[in-house]
Amino acid sequence: MSTSNSPLQPNAPRPSNFIRDIILDDLNTNKYEGRVQTRFPPEPNGYLHIGHAKAICLDFGLADEFNGHTNLRFDDTNPEKEETEYVESIMADVKWLGFHWDGLFYASDYFDQLFEWAVKLIRDGKAYVDDLSAEEIRKHRGTLTEPGTDSPYRNRTVEENLDLFERMRKGEFPDGSRVLRAKIDMASPNLNMRDPVMYRILHADHHRTGNKWCIYPMYDYAHGQSDSLERVTHSMCTLEFEDHRPLYNWFIEQLGIFPSQQIEFDRLNLTHTLLSKRKLLQLVQEKRVSGWDDPRMPTLSGIRRRGYTPEAIRNFCNSIGVSKTNGSIELAMLEHFVREDLNKRALRVMAVLRPLKVVIDNYPAAQSEEMDAINNPEDASAGSRKVPFSRVLYIEQDDFREEPPKGYFRLSPGREVRLRYAYFITCTSVVKNDAGEIIEVHCTYDPASRGGNSPDGRKVKSTIHWVSAEHAVDAEVRIYENLFSKENPSEVEDGQDVLSNLNPNSLEVISRAKIEPSMSNAEPGGRYQFERLGYFCVDPDSKPGKPVFNRTVALKDAWARVEKKQGTKR
Ligand code: ATP
Ligand code: MG
C-alpha cells in the first residue's frame, strides 16, 4: 500500500477498465499536464434514463478519482426537440445521483465561435455551401462499397461560399435549401468523412438563443469543438460514435485547437427495458405510462419515484464495467443492487396486501396490547417500535391454505404458526361465504408465547406477518411488473412497433391493503421493507391517512420459486 499523495495515486481504488487505463497512461506521460477534464453532454430532448447513469458514473466517477473536473454540457444544437423542462430535469437527476458539475455549459453558448470557425474553414478552402437537397446529398454519398460523387457545388470559390454562408445566416434562404459542408473526401471509406454537413438552415426558435439564429450546427460539427473549448481531456461517448472519431479529430486539427480525445464505450442495454429517449417520449405522449416519472419507466425520475436509491444505481453502474462491445445486462442484476442497498437502510413495517381476516377466539374482545417490533435487523441504531395487537387481525391470503400442499408450512387447519413479534396461533376452523370462499379464519393463541417463543421450547415451522384490524390503516399499493414482456423489446414482428411488446399487466393497483398505523402519514419518498413482501416507497400521490406505496422490488420469495418449479400455484 502506498501513502503517497502524488496525483498519479487514484483517490480510491476502483475496479480498473480500459478508459481508466488510458487516463492513467496519460497521467504518467503528462499528456495533459496532469489534468483530467471530462463532460457529460446530454441532449435536452427528454429525461435521463438508467443508460445515462452509466455515462454519468463514468464521466464524473473517473474525474473524481483523479482529482479532475466534469462539466455538464447541454448539447442543444437541435432547436426543434429541446425544451427547458428537460434541462431542469437533467440537472435534478444528475444531482440526485450524487454528482456535482464544475462548469455548466450549453453548446449554444458556442454558436458564435462555431460560426467564426466555419468561416475560417471556408476561407481555408475546407468548407463549401451546397445547394443540393437532402435527398440528392444522400444519393451522392455512395455506399460502403462505392465511393461518393462530388457535388456540382463543391468547387465554388471562397468568395462565393463566404457570401452564401453569410446570407444563410441572415435568413435569406428557406429551410433545407442549402447547407454548409466540410470539404474532406467523397471517396473516404468512412462515410462520415464524405463531406459531412456542418450547418443546416432551420427557421426555428431555440430554447436559449431565441430567434438569433436560423442556421444551426450539426452535432458532429459542434461536439468536438465544444469539448475543445472546455479543454476536455477525455471525452467519453458510446460506441456508435466510433466511426465519427476521425471527423471529430479532423475539425480539431483543421482549426488547430485543443486536442480533446474521444473514447468510446458500450451502451448499457437492459433486458425488458427500452433505453431511448425517443421511444420513451412516445410512451409518454401516447399515455402508455402516467408520465416521464411513471415508476415503470427506466428514467431516473421514474426509478426514483419507484424507490431505487442513487447508491444502488451507482453500485450497479460501477459493477457492470465498460467494454468495447455492446451486450445486454439482466434487469435482475439492477434489482439485486437495489435490494442489497435497501436491505441495509429500509425500515421494516408490517403490511398485508391481500387481507384475510383472522379471529383469535380466546383473546379478550376488549383487549389490545403493544408488541415490540425491530425496525431494522441490519441496523441496531434504527431501534424498535410498538405495533398494536388485538383479537381480530389480517393476514395475507397467501399465508393460509385450507388444504396445504406438501412443503407448505404456513397457516392451515390444525397447524400452529408464529405471528411475527406476537404469539403462536393455531387454526381451529374457517368460515366461508355462499360462494365457498374463505372469509374468516378462526384461531386460538397461546398466551405463554408472547414475543414469539413458547416456554416449553415448542417449535413452529413458519412465521407470518399480520396487522391488527381495528388499528390498521388502508393503503393503496401499486405493484409493478416489467413494462415490456419481451426480453428484448426492440424485437418486433413485421409491421409492428415496440409498443406491441408492452406488458398489459405491468401495473396492478391494490386499493385496500392494510398497514400498521405508524405508516398513516408516511412521508413521500420514504422507503420501507414490508416484511416478507418486498421494498416499497411512499408515492407523492399519498394523502394524510391514505398512504400510497409503490413496490420498488419484491423480496426473493423462496416459496414462489418452489411453487413455480412444481407448477402447483393455485
Ligand atoms: P438516447 O438514444 O436515449 O436519446 P443519446 O445517446 O441520444 O441517447 P444523449 O443525451 O446524447 O442521449 O446522451 C448523453 C450521453 O449519455 C452521451 O455521452 C451518450 O453516449 C450517453 N448515453 C446515452 N445512452 C446511453 C446508454 N444506454 N448507455 C451508456 N451511455 C449512454
Ligand atoms: Mg441523442
Side-chain angles (χ1 to χ4, degrees):
M1 223 189 356
S2 165
T3 52
S4 154
N5 283 326
S6 132
L8 299 193
Q9 286 297 316
N11 281 340
R14 299 192 196 183
S16 208
N17 60 55
F18 76 94
I19 302 180
R20 190 172 174 275
D21 290 343
I22 292 173
I23 296 179
L24 275 170
D25 261 6
D26 291 346
L27 288 171
N28 278 320
T29 59
N30 213 25
K31 186 166 171 188
Y32 302 104
E33 287 118 23
R35 271 189 326 116
V36 176
Q37 172 74 57
T38 64
R39 89 289 170 259
F40 173 63
E43 184 182 352
N45 61 349
Y47 282 58
L48 297 183
H49 53 61
I50 180 85
H52 293 110
K54 172 176 175 174
I56 293 171
C57 288
L58 266 180
D59 294 329
F60 285 87
L62 284 170
D64 282 352
E65 189 183 352
F66 298 104
N67 296 316
H69 299 278
T70 306
N71 294 338
L72 174 60
R73 182 203 318 138
F74 290 99
D75 239 316
D76 56 353
T77 51
N78 185 357
E80 288 174 315
K81 293 188 180 158
E82 294 158 1
E83 288 176 26
T84 310
E85 174 196 347
Y86 299 140
V87 168
E88 279 160 12
S89 76
I90 289 169
M91 294 201 277
D93 286 347
V94 172
K95 282 189 207 154
W96 176 73
L97 268 185
F99 295 106
H100 305 277
W101 52 85
D102 295 288
L104 174 64
F105 299 108
Y106 296 80
S108 55
D109 295 339
Y110 310 135
F111 281 176
D112 285 300
Q113 177 66 75
L114 291 169
F115 180 83
E116 267 178 46
W117 277 337
V119 169
K120 172 181 161 50
L121 289 176
I122 294 174
R123 286 221 167 85
D124 294 347
K126 288 168 185 160
Y128 62 97
V129 173
D130 196 347
D131 301 358
L132 293 183
S133 68
E135 182 54 34
E136 286 165 322
I137 289 180
R138 222 180 347 265
K139 279 193 196 136
H140 278 72
R141 189 160 48 212
T143 65
L144 283 174
T145 49
E146 285 166 42
T149 40
D150 287 2
S151 161
Y153 304 98
R154 195 172 198 262
N155 292 317
R156 278 180 159 147
T157 63
V158 167
E159 288 66 36
E160 193 181 357
N161 281 319
L162 285 173
D163 174 61
L164 285 171
F165 188 50
E166 177 59 20
R167 287 164 62 196
M168 278 169 65
R169 187 188 68 79
K170 281 192 185 145
E172 288 187 24
F173 309 121
D175 289 1
S177 58
R178 288 189 163 86
V179 292
L180 183 73
R181 297 178 73 175
K183 195 169 181 176
I184 309 181
D185 178 7
M186 288 307 290
S188 170
N190 183 339
L191 268 65
N192 294 302
M193 299 298 274
R194 294 185 187 171
D195 292 10
V197 173
M198 294 163 56
Y199 272 90
R200 65 227 158 106
I201 303 174
L202 209 58
H203 293 264
D205 272 10
H206 185 276
H207 75 120
R208 298 192 79 237
T209 57
N211 62 4
K212 177 174 175 192
W213 296 92
C214 61
I215 55 171
Y216 289 95
M218 302 300 289
Y219 172 88
D220 276 331
Y221 178 65
H223 195 86
Q225 287 86 299
S226 303
D227 283 347
S228 179
L229 282 166
E230 292 169 23
R231 302 179 65 77
V232 167
T233 55
H234 302 85
S235 173
M236 275 77 85
C237 64
T238 35
L239 282 175
E240 68 271 22
F241 292 102
E242 196 163 17
D243 290 344
H244 297 241
R245 190 181 348 122
L247 180 55
Y248 179 101
N249 291 337
W250 189 87
F251 283 125
I252 285 179
E253 280 158 23
Q254 301 310 313
L255 295 167
I257 55 180
F258 179 81
S260 300
Q261 173 179 198
Q262 175 179 303
I263 304 167
E264 310 86 15
F265 64 93
D266 59 323
R267 260 184 122 74
L268 171 65
N269 295 306
L270 271 181
T271 57
H272 302 286
T273 308
L274 269 185
L275 296 180
S276 148
K277 278 182 284 181
R278 190 174 52 78
K279 291 176 188 159
L280 297 176
L281 175 65
Q282 190 186 352
L283 293 175
V284 173
Q285 284 176 334
E286 295 185 13
K287 300 206 176 344
R288 306 300 186 104
V289 292
S290 63
W292 284 101
D293 69 345
D294 186 304
R296 291 167 294 177
M297 290 280 271
T299 51
L300 296 182
S301 52
I303 59 187
R304 168 166 68 235
R305 184 165 177 181
R306 182 154 171 170
Y308 284 26
T309 60
E311 291 81 359
I313 296 168
R314 291 202 307 261
N315 290 342
F316 167 76
C317 289
N318 289 335
S319 81
I320 55 179
V322 287
S323 85
K324 276 285 187 186
T325 44
N326 281 320
S328 180
I329 304 274
E330 294 281 339
L331 184 55
M333 183 174 170
L334 174 59
E335 290 177 343
H336 159 82
F337 280 93
V338 174
R339 274 193 203 98
E340 188 186 63
D341 186 41
L342 289 176
N343 180 43
K344 284 182 281 187
R345 59 164 92 206
L347 299 184
R348 274 57 169 171
V349 295
M350 288 198 286
V352 172
L353 299 188
R354 295 176 177 83
L356 174 63
K357 196 170 177 182
V358 168
V359 182
I360 302 174
D361 292 315
N362 60 339
Y363 193 90
Q367 187 175 315
S368 73
E369 60 191 303
E370 301 217 293
M371 301 305 191
D372 287 311
I374 295 166
N375 285 335
N376 185 354
E378 302 289 319
D379 175 10
S381 72
S384 65
R385 69 189 182 288
K386 301 284 185 192
V387 181
F389 182 90
S390 64
R391 185 172 194 260
V392 182
L393 312 171
Y394 292 115
I395 65 167
E396 214 64 66
Q397 288 170 16
D398 251 2
D399 284 338
F400 180 81
R401 296 287 166 84
E402 193 176 16
E403 289 163 25
K406 192 167 171 291
Y408 183 93
F409 297 117
R410 295 176 247 171
L411 198 60
S412 55
R415 170 88 48 80
E416 184 172 53
V417 301
R418 175 187 294 108
L419 292 176
R420 182 99 164 124
Y421 304 124
Y423 295 101
F424 286 8
I425 58 167
T426 304
C427 172
T428 50
S429 65
V430 300
V431 177
K432 296 185 181 178
N433 63 13
D434 293 344
E437 297 156 349
I438 297 167
I439 51 166
E440 226 172 84
V441 172
H442 284 256
C443 295
T444 56
Y445 85 117
D446 174 4
S449 64
R450 192 178 198 280
N453 284 303
S454 125
D456 64 10
R458 209 158 76 237
K459 295 270 181 278
V460 291
K461 279 198 165 161
S462 189
T463 300
I464 64 177
H465 63 276
W466 51 275
V467 292
S468 162
E470 85 177 85
H471 302 94
V473 174
D474 278 349
E476 178 177 316
V477 178
R478 301 171 182 170
I479 306 284
Y480 303 103
E481 300 292 345
N482 295 339
L483 188 52
F484 290 93
S485 0
K486 263 229 178 111
E487 187 170 309
N488 177 3
S490 303
E491 238 170 51
V492 286
E493 309 287 319
D494 276 353
Q496 300 270 26
D497 80 347
V498 289
L499 299 192
S500 65
N501 286 331
L502 277 172
N503 173 6
N505 304 314
S506 58
L507 168 63
E508 180 194 356
V509 177
I510 298 173
S511 52
R512 298 202 55 156
K514 303 283 181 182
I515 191 160
E516 59 174 81
S518 65
M519 299 300 292
S520 165
N521 296 317
E523 280 291 318
R527 305 183 188 97
Y528 298 89
Q529 185 194 96
F530 291 0
E531 293 213 22
R532 299 180 59 236
L533 297 175
Y535 295 97
F536 292 78
C537 181
V538 184
D539 192 84
D541 287 346
S542 298
K543 306 233 161 26
K546 183 74 205 279
V548 177
F549 293 90
N550 297 310
R551 187 173 74 187
T552 310
V553 63
L555 291 182
K556 283 190 200 146
D557 181 344
W559 172 253
R561 243 178 292 146
V562 173
E563 266 187 331
K564 213 170 156 191
K565 242 201 232 145
Q566 300 176 338
T568 53
K569 179 91 188 158
R570 286 172 301 173

